[in-house]
Each structure stands twice: as structure tokens, then as C-alpha cells.
Amino acid sequence: RDFVLKHKAVVSTQSTGRRYMTTTHEYSSTIELTDEESPNSSGLTSYLPRWRPTSSTDLAQAEKRVLKFVKTPLKLYHTLTSLGKIWTLRTGAGVPGKKPLVMLHGMGAGVGMWVQNIDEVSRDRQLFAFDLLGFGRSSRPDFSDTEDGVEEEYITSIEEWRKEHNLTKFHLLGHSFGGYLATLYTLKYPQHVSHLILADPWGMPECPERTQPLPLRYRVVIGVLKPFNIFSGLRAAGPLGPRLVNKMRPDLQKKFMRNVKDVTAVPNYIYHCNVQHPSGEVAFKTLHLELGYAKRPLLKRMGDMDPSIPITYIGGAQSWMDPSSGIRIQELREGLAPVHVELILAAGHHVYADEPLEFNRLVNASCDMYDAEK
């Protein structure tokens, strides 16, 4: 109802030096433009075709195409940290008696992937979500080349982001790689996390020991792919990349069709998120072994977490992640703060998108349960 009026055209544009502020009725964003992305850029390079049809401006427009389907008024802006700028989404103001919720996306994603969750999980509380460093519209720094270094850099960036927003206590939710980072942050800064929500998290179990070597054909494939990052093929596809996303991931339209009526918006957003400089991919590669297991699995470290922090584990029963991780966390923390394990039967790894109504219900119920925690 009235949707087009609420999110229709830009109503004002202001330029102050290098910053461009774009405002719509219910959507605000601060877009940092580089020289080649500036509206005033000139020269031969501005007329040459790009091998990869993307830029920071294209990514900003792709995000906008997705987030226009959110009905809740949003504020989007960069938060400065010592490691770079973190692109932040925020709803409204704090709600008395309700702790804010902070959401961390997974590998190759950004804040736009929460499009089917934002309205519901922010209905009774303030919501923050941000693009992890190396992903989306956040800075893409050169990370450490050691797993300890990468983990510390991500933890530091999250803590500096928290300080900038003056959040003392909050619910922390992470999906996949975001679940890994949310757990690391909670291990180091438990005083700020009242409740940890793990949505089909990556990096929990140890890599199983092999009783016999992999077949030669698998070892050859692993050896060939080892030098490359996850989305190298997408970047190498150049102008065919956008079509490749649609061809390889036709399920994306189905996952988001409940809320996103523009069927190409989410695939287009994912394309532009993942053909920029692969800073986050390189960091992720530093953290994982072949076959996708973490070098430093989290189940080994769950016993070190503050015993007073409750955990909610929301998994997809159809996920390729190990579904037993939630039960293992329960066993490791027996006698400590509660660990609730929920499996959504019809959902896969992207549990927040496969079954958004049930996911939102579980998130809201678990946050309500622990709002009173000190």
C-alpha cells in the first residue's frame, strides 16, 4: 500500500566536498565516491568499458534496489574504525526494556540480505546490522596472513564499531561466517553480549581425520583450486558475471520472492558485493582448511566462553553445515547458561531467507526471553 510514494525518487541531494548525501522519504544513505565514481569524473577512462561491470556506485544502487522493499525507516552510514569504514544499517531509537539486536551477515553477503528479517526483528527493538570489513560497502583492507591476525582484526573492528555506537549490552546474531565472528567477539568481550544467536554458523566442528586419502581426481581438483578465492570465477567471467549468478543460483529468486518483488534485485546485489576487491575472501581463506573446515574450530573454544551467556542455535535441517554442532554446544556447556537448539525443517544453510517467518519468530522469542539479563 502506498509503497511507491514512500520510497520514490530522491528528494534532495547535497554535496559537501567529497561526501554525497542522498535522502529519500524513508531511506537515507551516505555514499563515499572515489574519483572514478564521482558524478564529476572525466577523462578517457570514464568512457572505456569495464571488464567487470561494477563499481562502488553500482553496489550502492544494487543495495538500494533490495532495501527499498523494507518498510521500516532506515539509516545507513559509514562508521569509522582504525581498520577502515564499516557500512552500518540502523533502525529507529532504543526501546526501553528492550536490548538492541546486532546482526552479522555471512560469507559473500551484506546488510541487504536481511531484507526479509529487518521489519519483523526491529518491530519492538532497535536493530543494527553492518557489512563486515572486506565485504559489501565496508572498506576492504589488506588483512593479516595468519589466522590469529585475521581473527584479532575482525574482533577489533567489531569492538571499535560498538564503541562508536555506545552500546553497552546487546543481543548478537551471526549467520555462517558472521556466526564465527560473533562467537569470537563474545569470547573476548562477554561483558557486552547478553545473548548470542548462532544462525547455521560456520567453523564449529573439527575437520574429521581421514582413514584413507582422497581419490586422485578430488586431490587434483583441490590442488587446482587452492590458489583461488571463492568468487574468483565470478570476477574472471567479466561481463558475463551477472548472467552467471542468475544461472548458477536460480534459487535466490525463490528464497526472497516473499518480500522482494523485483526478481533480479537480490542476484544483482550479490554480484556487485562479490566482484569488488576480494579482501574479505582472502581473510576467510586464511581461516579455513580444504573442504571448508576452520583451521581453529570453535567447538574447541566454547568451553572458554563466559558461563553466564545464553546461546540460541538456529540451524537449517537441510543445511550442508553439520547439524550436530548445536547439540555439541549444549553438551559442552551443560550446567551453565541455557543453550537452546532450534532446527527449521524446511530450511537450508540460508535459514534466515529459506524460512524467514519462522526464523524471525525464533529470533524475537529468544531476544524477548533474555532482555532482562544484566
Side-chain angles (χ1 to χ4, degrees), residues 203-209 289 293-300 322 325 328:
M204 287 288 166
E206 293 183 70
C207 183
E209 290 187 19
L289 300 164
Y293 286 92
K295 291 180 180 177
R296 303 185 65 211
L298 291 176
L299 283 178
K300 281 186 168 183
D322 185 350
S325 292
R328 289 285 293 118

Side-chain angles (χ1 to χ4, degrees), residues 300-353:
K300 281 186 168 183
R301 296 186 264 178
M302 294 304 290
D304 299 328
M305 186 175 290
D306 187 309
S308 68
I309 295 179
I311 299 173
T312 299
Y313 185 103
I314 305 175
Q318 311 304 317
S319 176
W320 49 269
M321 292 289 185
D322 185 350
S324 68
S325 292
I327 302 301
R328 289 285 293 118
I329 295 172
Q330 275 186 329
E331 293 170 351
L332 289 166
R333 292 177 62 81
E334 186 176 2
L336 306 178
V339 177
H340 301 278
V341 178
E342 304 281 355
L343 284 184
I344 301 180
L345 295 180
H349 178 53
H350 294 277
V351 59
Y352 62 94

Side-chain angles (χ1 to χ4, degrees), residues 24-37:
T24 64
H25 288 292
E26 296 191 2
Y27 180 97
S28 306
S29 64
T30 302
I31 305 172
E32 300 285 346
L33 303 182
T34 64
D35 287 337
E36 59 239 23
E37 294 153 0

